[in-house]
Amino acid sequence: MDPETSETACFEAGVKFGALYHQFAGTPVSPDTADSLARAMEESIENQPFCESVTVDVLTDELADAIDHGYTELTGRFMEVEIVVEQDGVEVVARMEMEDGYPLMRVADVRA
């Protein structure tokens, strides 16, 4: 059985999240560099097929609280992300937010 278009679009959203998180986790970041890092993350992932938009919000208040020596490493606890994928008329909105201490990535909406 072939997957439905909505299923392949959800899979594509997962691919984008995997690339975003594992490409940028561990990157040195500070409140001063957070915006430029967020833009680089967005632009990098938007290059992938079917990706309509990526919004990365680095939580600078939480970031500032975690800094010991001028910077810290980027992890899921310091960012909220929304990725929109469009494939063959199906739009998937996926988000990453902290839930119970874990950066949970999930499908928020599927629209045909």
Side-chain angles (χ1 to χ4, degrees):
M1 172 188 287
D2 289 336
E4 298 290 324
T5 302
S6 59
E7 293 170 324
T8 60
C10 287
F11 176 81
E12 285 294 332
V15 168
K16 276 57 169 161
F17 263 118
L20 181 142
Y21 194 87
H22 294 290
Q23 180 177 350
F24 291 99
T27 300
V29 64
S30 72
D32 292 339
T33 62
D35 284 341
S36 64
L37 179 58
R39 300 302 76 76
M41 294 169 70
E42 292 168 353
E43 291 175 9
S44 173
I45 302 307
E46 285 173 351
N47 285 319
Q48 294 187 24
F50 308 112
C51 192
E52 290 296 308
S53 66
V54 178
T55 305
V56 176
D57 182 20
V58 177
L59 307 173
T60 53
D61 289 341
E62 287 87 341
L63 193 67
D65 290 343
I67 291 178
D68 290 331
H69 305 289
Y71 75 96
T72 192
E73 294 179 0
L74 186 67
T75 67
R77 76 179 215 205
F78 299 125
M79 60 180 154
E80 293 177 348
V81 181
E82 180 178 277
I83 295 176
V84 179
V85 168
E86 194 281 322
Q87 187 173 10
D88 298 329
V90 174
E91 183 179 82
V92 171
V93 178
R95 293 193 181 101
M96 181 184 79
E97 301 169 322
M98 291 299 290
E99 185 171 305
D100 297 326
Y102 182 79
L104 187 62
M105 301 165 201
R106 70 175 67 173
V107 173
D109 196 14
V110 178
R111 302 177 201 134

